[in-house]
Amino acid sequence: MLLPAMNLLKNFYTAISPLKETTWEELLPLFQEDRLAPNQYFVRENEVARKIAFLESGVVRAFFINQQGQEYNKQFFVGPSSIGGYSSLLTGKPNLIPQQALTECVIFTCDYHALTGLYAKYPDLESLARKMAEHYFIEKEKKELEIVLLDATQRYKIFQMEFPTLEQLIQQYHIASYLGISATQLSRIRHQLANK
């Protein structure tokens, strides 16, 4: 019998692309339960990524730092979700976008090469990986368009729809950074919306 967390993992990936039971029998043992404390990194900048993880619960941010040392939050992952330094995993080059826990997180880690080693044997698993890559590409393009085409208030409203519980879990400056605005601007927008 599967642990409840493994059922959550299974349901999460099945919703993206169903896998056969024989595939699950080899895949599930690759995942090991772990935890991230607040501010702990899943993958750091300039290290070669080797693992992916299923984020069962908690919040992880992906961010980058410019030459002036300013941080920009690129993405938030809220459990259940999938995390990993994908560019580094695919290229074998050092990771450029660190992933850091913002809250206590429960994760299930998996060695990426062990996972991809199953693709030839299980085409349904390779199909799942392709669909996930397509999903992340679409998300990336959507965010890039929002930054260019929408004003800060519109982006904030989209953030609220996409992450309805996040404002209660993380600090406001993280949200401002994600929206590409200052914490003062975010405070002003929230005040304006509250008074409408």
Side-chain angles (χ1 to χ4, degrees):
M1 179 143 163
L2 284 180
L3 294 169
M6 291 307 250
N7 267 324
L8 187 62
L9 180 154
K10 202 172 172 183
N11 291 340
F12 174 79
Y13 290 117
T14 297
I16 298 167
S17 186
L19 299 178
K20 296 174 184 169
E21 276 308 311
T22 50
T23 308
W24 280 117
E25 284 169 15
E26 280 210 51
L27 180 60
L28 286 177
L30 297 181
F31 285 89
Q32 303 297 317
E33 185 173 356
D34 200 357
R35 289 177 187 273
L36 295 172
N39 301 317
Q40 186 178 349
Y41 286 84
F42 178 66
V43 61
R44 291 181 177 276
E45 186 178 13
N46 295 322
E47 75 177 22
V48 176
R50 308 215 181 274
K51 294 183 177 184
I52 63 158
F54 170 68
L55 174 64
E56 179 198 298
S57 61
V59 181
V60 171
R61 69 171 178 148
F63 69 103
F64 62 92
I65 304 169
N66 69 12
Q67 290 180 333
Q68 290 74 43
Q70 191 170 357
E71 293 182 0
Y72 291 93
N73 287 328
K74 184 177 180 296
Q75 185 59 278
F76 294 118
F77 301 96
V78 180
S81 188
S82 189
I83 58 175
Y86 293 109
S87 291
S88 178
L89 290 166
L90 291 169
T91 63
K93 293 179 180 176
N95 180 55
L96 299 176
I97 301 175
Q99 293 182 357
Q100 180 188 40
L102 294 178
T103 65
E104 188 80 28
C105 295
V106 176
I107 62 173
F108 287 79
T109 63
C110 173
D111 180 85
Y112 182 70
H113 290 296
L115 173 71
T116 57
L118 296 177
Y119 286 176
K121 190 174 178 183
Y122 300 105
D124 56 337
L125 182 59
E126 189 171 21
S127 177
L128 168 64
R130 178 180 52 79
K131 287 181 182 177
M132 288 182 67
E134 289 168 353
H135 168 77
Y136 286 121
F137 174 80
I138 291 166
E139 283 292 304
K140 180 178 181 290
E141 188 175 75
K142 177 178 171 291
K143 178 98 191 304
E144 287 168 352
L145 287 171
E146 286 171 4
I147 286 285
V148 174
L149 300 177
L150 303 180
D151 66 33
T153 302
Q154 291 169 312
R155 294 199 306 273
Y156 176 62
K157 287 178 178 177
I158 291 170
F159 166 83
Q160 287 182 307
M161 284 188 298
E162 291 180 346
F163 301 104
T165 62
L166 209 49
E167 287 190 86
Q168 289 74 47
L169 299 175
I170 66 173
Q171 294 179 319
Q172 291 300 304
Y173 72 86
H174 282 304
I175 297 167
S177 170
Y178 174 78
L179 295 171
I181 59 177
S182 69
T184 305
Q185 284 175 286
L186 176 58
S187 180
R188 195 177 302 125
I189 289 167
R190 293 178 78 212
H191 183 72
Q192 287 168 350
L193 291 174
N195 289 332
K196 278 191 176 179

